[in-house]
Every structure is written in C-alpha cells, then in structure tokens.
Amino acid sequence: SITGQSKRIEFVAHNLKLGKTDVKVEITSDDEIGKLARTFNEMARDAADMAFVAEGIGKGNYEIEFKKRSEEDIFGKALLTMRDNLKAKTDELNNNITQLKKAFQYKTDFLANMSHELRTPLNSMLILASLLQENKEDNLNDEQLEFVDIIHKSGWDLLDLINGILDLSKIEAGKLCIELMEVDLFKVLDDCYKLFSPVAFENKLEFSVVQVTPIPQMITSDKMRLSQILKNLISNSLKFTPSGGSVSLLISYQNGTLEIAVVDSGIGIEKDKQDAIFSDFNQA
C-alpha cells in the first residue's frame, strides 16, 4: 500500500515538474503518506490557480483577484508585480493613444481650415491670370502671353493638388484614387518644357525634352499625378545641378511600355543614401 501510494505521488510530482497542473493524487489513507499526497494536491491546485491568473493578466484582465500565499511566496509576488507593471504600461499606452487621436483630429481640422485659406488667394490669382490672357488692350507680346499661360496652368495644377491633398476621407482611409483618362502626352511634355525652361535659363542650365524613340501622343494615365511626378523630379534636378550643367527629360516607348527618365549632371545621391530617400520625410 505504501509503495503504491508513493508511486502515485511520484507520478504527480513528475507531472508538476513538467508544468502540468491537471493532476491529482488519490488519497487512500490519513497517515503521513496521505498527508503528503494532500500536500501535492494543494501544490497542483495552487499551480493551476497561478496559471489561471497569469492567463487572465496576459489577456488584459488586470483586476483579477489574486493573493500571495505567504510572504515567502516568490511566484505570487512575481505575478502581482507583473500585473501592476502591465496595468501601468497599458494605462500609459491608452493615454498616448488618446493624445494621438486628439493630435490627428487637430491635424484634420487644420487641413480643413487651410483648404479655404489656400484656395481663396489661388482663385484670385487664376482670375487675374485669365484676365491677362484675354489681353483686351493688346499690350502684351507673345512671350508675355506665354508667361501668363504658364502662370495660369501652374495655378490650376496647384489647385488640383490642393484638392487632392485635402480630400481627408481618402487620406484617412489610406487610399489615393487614380483617375485614369486619355492624356495628351505631347501636351504634358510641352507644359513641362514651358514651365521649367525659364528656371533652367535663370540658373544657366541646359534643359531639354528628348524623344529617344517614337512615342504615342495619347496614353491612358492620371494626368495630374503624371504631371506632379515629372515636375517634382525635374524641379529637384534643376535645384541640385550646378550652373553650366544639363537636365534632360528622356522619353522612350518599346513593346507597349512607356519609359520617362529625368537625367541630370548634378551632384547625384550617394549609394548608401539611395534607399533612405524613399522613406517618408527623408532626404540626402
């Protein structure tokens, strides 16, 4: 009888060592062996309780009730410390989230208000540019009219960009809608040339638009985004190319693929910076 009870206690002790808690010694006597078996059952029950508490804390239940078994209860103290620390960190995180939500709302309100502030002077500029284009008194020469046309066109491009940027529902949804349409590629390239030729001349740079191969006149694209990308690249090239250098817009078409490249003789970008510049708000 003693040997059998001892083996059962040994089996439970081995399972407790492995981390199992759903074990129990069947008590068949009230002697010292029976008391030992009862102690192992209490150990298994305490281990199961601590596992239940730890699982609750892991799921975010920081109000779960748990008391130390004694002042020497190392595991109990560790669980209480973990619960209190996690609760404090979670409260801090929730507070930060609340602050971020407020900051995001401030940004949204700011952009919504700025949309009106930006559009008002821009609309005035477009109206005045249109009046100049009419040239009713016939006192503007062809070059001046071309400059006015560039101002008018650039103003409309800027207005389109503002409308796109301030479409808060799309920004907050993480989506930027592409509006595909028939685009006159020749006109897009001509607009780029007219817009940046005076800038290149002012900076003593050679600016050219080159058709490397025959290209189609009409393509399907988002005209505003295409123009925006080209203007950003060309503007950067002109900005970082020293006087006496050159900036070229190269266009080629092969096997149904249109390729547009901006090539300049500027300072370039170091190899170890070439990946970083595609991250948000980074530059080299």
Side-chain angles (χ1 to χ4, degrees):
S1 175
I2 291 174
T3 302
Q5 191 78 323
S6 297
K7 286 186 177 295
R8 285 192 287 273
I9 292 173
E10 182 183 2
F11 174 77
V12 170
H14 179 69
N15 279 277
L16 284 173
K17 177 184 174 183
L18 295 176
K20 296 180 180 179
T21 59
D22 57 341
V23 289
K24 185 177 181 181
V25 181
E26 183 182 352
I27 301 172
T28 58
S29 66
D30 199 29
D31 55 10
E32 297 303 321
I33 297 294
K35 291 178 181 178
L36 183 60
R38 191 174 289 108
T39 300
F40 269 95
N41 285 342
E42 290 173 356
M43 288 173 60
R45 187 174 62 251
D46 287 345
D49 289 344
M50 284 193 287
F52 175 77
V53 171
E55 184 177 8
I57 293 172
K59 291 180 178 178
N61 181 10
Y62 305 125
E63 307 303 325
I64 192 168
E65 290 295 328
F66 179 72
K67 292 182 180 180
K68 294 181 292 183
R69 293 167 292 184
S70 70
E71 288 302 319
E72 289 75 34
D73 186 1
I74 296 175
F75 293 119
K77 289 179 180 178
L79 275 176
L80 288 173
T81 301
M82 179 177 72
R83 183 192 67 182
D84 294 343
N85 287 344
L86 283 174
K87 185 178 186 305
K89 290 294 183 183
T90 301
D91 290 343
E92 182 183 351
L93 183 61
N94 287 333
N95 182 59
N96 289 339
I97 289 172
T98 301
Q99 295 300 321
L100 284 172
K101 286 181 178 178
K102 286 183 180 178
F104 185 79
Q105 187 60 46
Y106 293 150
K107 182 215 71 174
T108 301
D109 294 342
F110 173 76
L111 286 177
N113 291 329
M114 282 302 295
S115 67
H116 300 290
E117 301 295 330
L118 291 170
R119 286 191 183 104
T120 300
L122 190 55
N123 284 327
S124 299
M125 186 186 80
L126 290 171
I127 292 170
L128 292 173
S130 294
L131 292 174
L132 284 173
Q133 277 182 315
E134 292 176 10
N135 196 20
K136 289 183 178 179
E137 297 182 8
D138 199 26
N139 57 353
L140 297 178
N141 59 39
D142 291 342
E143 185 181 30
Q144 290 171 332
L145 285 172
E146 187 175 329
F147 291 161
V148 171
D149 184 58
I150 292 172
I151 293 171
H152 191 258
K153 178 70 173 59
S154 298
W156 275 109
D157 287 344
L158 185 57
L159 186 60
D160 285 340
L161 285 175
I162 290 171
N163 290 335
I165 291 169
L166 296 172
D167 191 344
L168 297 178
S169 61
K170 294 177 185 176
I171 293 174
E172 290 169 2
K175 296 178 180 178
L176 185 65
C177 292
I178 300 298
E179 298 180 8
L180 295 177
M181 63 184 76
E182 286 292 301
V183 177
D184 188 334
L185 181 59
F186 288 2
K187 189 171 189 320
V188 171
L189 298 176
D190 187 55
D191 287 343
C192 286
Y193 183 76
K194 287 180 179 178
L195 179 64
F196 290 106
S197 287
V199 179
F201 179 79
E202 193 73 24
N203 294 338
K204 298 179 180 178
L205 297 171
E206 181 185 342
F207 177 58
S208 59
V209 178
V210 181
Q211 294 186 29
V212 180
T213 66
I215 61 173
Q217 179 171 354
M218 304 303 296
I219 61 171
T220 301
S221 183
D222 184 321
K223 183 179 180 182
M224 186 183 76
R225 300 299 168 198
L226 175 62
S227 297
Q228 180 185 2
I229 292 168
L230 289 177
K231 289 171 183 176
N232 284 342
L233 291 173
I234 296 169
S235 176
N236 249 23
S237 285
L238 292 172
K239 180 179 178 182
F240 292 106
T241 300
S243 296
S246 64
V247 175
S248 299
L249 185 60
L250 308 179
I251 310 96
S252 60
Y253 182 78
Q254 192 171 5
N255 298 326
T257 300
L258 183 73
E259 183 178 293
I260 305 177
V262 178
V263 180
D264 63 61
S265 61
I267 61 175
I269 301 166
E270 296 177 18
K271 284 194 175 182
D272 61 342
K273 300 289 194 306
Q274 289 178 6
D275 288 333
I277 61 168
F278 290 100
S279 302
D280 292 343
F281 308 115
N282 274 356
Q283 63 181 33

